[in-house]
Amino acid sequence: MNSIVRGIRFKVTDGEFRGAMRQLAGGVSVITAGRGEEISGMTVTSVASLAVDPPSLVVSINRASSSWPLLERYRSFGVSILKADQLAVAERFDGRNGLKGAARFAGAQWIQLASGVPLLKGALAAIDCEAEDIVERHSHALVIGRVLDLELSEPAAALAYWQSQYVALDRDEDAQKLAEVSVPAPPAARKR
Ligand SMILES: Cc1cc2nc3c(=O)[nH]c(=O)nc-3n(C[C@H](O)[C@H](O)[C@H](O)COP(=O)(O)O)c2cc1C
């Protein structure tokens, strides 16, 4: 749908924008919120680092999601950055298989760090955050998370999402493929 904001006509349709965003490969994480049996979570690709000092990140959360009221109430959330072999967890939390709330957490092990929010045991990184600031915009909220604590796993292939599909990012395999396709720079360029 085209829209007009402050006299500027935005000509990009929903479909065109979705098509553009599909080209953006994103690391897959699960955001978790709540305590005890009153928990929920969602698969996201919108986590990004905000700053190192203080350690903080940002994530975009749909305010119609079941995680949103829990995140707002407890003002804390978990970020579990998924390994490629944790695909089943991503699928449980992406809302497409009908599972809701605590039922999404079954079949995996969860730990708690400082805030008490569940974090996936064995995730590439499990990051415990306090919601430091929330900017509500359009259907979503940009949540700034101040990192309270984190746990890291040994390096492993990561789970990403690209062109509407989950894909594995494997450093060794990808380095091999890059080496196969990279063309050596011409001699003149190498001198500079
Ligand atoms: C790969 C992938 C990435 C997603 N990224 C986001 C995201 O960054 N923010 C968001 O609000 N929803 C995102 N979603 C959708 C949520 O996972 C989905 O709406 C949510 O699980 C629905 O939760 P609910 O049933 O608890 O309301 C993504 C879905 C997929 C499959």
Side-chain angles (χ1 to χ4, degrees):
M1 192 181 28
N2 291 347
S3 55
I4 301 173
V5 178
R6 287 189 231 101
I8 303 163
R9 177 176 281 278
F10 290 86
K11 288 185 178 162
V12 175
T13 64
D14 291 1
E16 283 169 335
F17 181 62
R18 283 180 208 276
M21 289 298 101
R22 260 182 228 126
Q23 308 312 316
L24 179 63
V28 177
S29 304
V30 164
I31 296 293
T32 41
R35 299 288 184 284
E37 278 304 294
E38 208 185 16
I39 45 175
S40 194
M42 62 200 290
T43 299
V44 302
T45 45
S46 58
V47 172
S49 172
L50 178 64
V52 172
D53 186 13
S56 46
L57 53 79
V58 64
V59 59
S60 167
I61 304 276
N62 190 329
R63 288 187 286 132
S65 69
S66 63
S67 306
W68 171 244
L70 293 169
L71 193 158
E72 246 195 328
R73 187 174 343 140
Y74 291 97
R75 300 285 298 192
S76 61
F77 62 99
V79 180
S80 300
I81 302 177
L82 299 189
K83 291 178 181 162
D85 67 9
Q86 291 164 336
L87 168 66
V89 178
E91 289 175 333
R92 287 184 84 82
F93 282 84
D94 72 11
R96 297 189 284 205
N97 61 3
L99 289 170
K100 292 277 176 199
R104 291 182 180 166
F105 292 73
Q109 284 185 288
W110 301 86
I111 55 163
Q112 292 176 353
L113 297 177
S115 78
V117 80
L119 289 155
L120 182 65
K121 189 178 171 161
L124 274 179
I127 309 174
D128 194 22
C129 296
E130 175 190 336
E132 187 180 75
D133 215 345
I134 293 173
V135 181
E136 295 187 22
R137 199 54 50 89
H138 313 304
S139 53
H140 281 56
L142 272 178
V143 183
I144 294 176
R146 176 73 174 266
V147 176
L148 301 172
D149 200 358
L150 60 77
E151 219 170 84
L152 275 177
S153 285
E154 289 299 311
L159 187 65
Y161 196 76
W162 182 51
Q163 296 186 340
S164 310
Q165 285 191 329
Y166 289 105
V167 291
L169 276 186
D170 188 308
R171 202 173 42 182
D172 298 336
E173 257 183 45
D174 293 343
Q176 172 88 28
K177 280 185 207 151
L178 265 179
E180 280 165 19
V181 296
S182 44
V183 181
R190 262 191 249 131
K191 272 190 207 138
R192 268 187 246 142

